[in-house]
Amino acid sequence: KGEGEMATPKLENDDTTHVLIVDDDRDFLDLLTHEISSIPGVEVNVAHNAEEAMKLMTRKSYELIVSDWSLSPQRTAPEVLE
């Protein structure tokens, strides 16, 4: 999707579950992404930090967000999700 594109709500006929995984530990992120994306009907997006996560959340709606608690020295997961 292009820069500045607005988030679209999940359509009723869209059976895909959208998951966002946020973690700065790339090995853990890769492992979790591999495991969750192997579930049929699940689409996974990843973010390596709070800023990436916030950008993705403005572009798409997610049914599930899995996040590391400490995303950067200045942010925690609850702050990003507000």
Side-chain angles (χ1 to χ4, degrees), residues 21-25 28 32 47-50 53 65-82:
I21 304 173
V22 188
D23 202 310
D24 58 352
D25 180 334
F28 182 74
L32 194 55
H48 300 100
N49 57 52
I65 298 174
V66 179
S67 178
D68 186 1
W69 186 264
S70 297
L71 297 174
S72 67
Q74 299 86 8
R75 297 194 186 227
T76 63
E79 291 170 334
V80 171
L81 296 175
E82 287 181 348

Side-chain angles (χ1 to χ4, degrees), residues 41-61:
V42 174
E43 178 186 295
V44 177
N45 291 116
V46 299
H48 300 100
N49 57 52
E51 290 73 25
E52 285 181 20
M54 291 169 67
K55 229 182 235 188
L56 288 170
M57 288 186 290
T58 62
R59 296 180 185 162
K60 182 183 255 183
S61 295

Side-chain angles (χ1 to χ4, degrees), residues 13-33:
N13 62 355
D14 181 6
D15 292 333
T16 303
T17 299
H18 301 95
V19 177
L20 174 61
I21 304 173
V22 188
D23 202 310
D24 58 352
D25 180 334
R26 290 184 188 263
D27 291 334
F28 182 74
L29 187 65
D30 289 345
L31 174 68
L32 194 55
T33 300

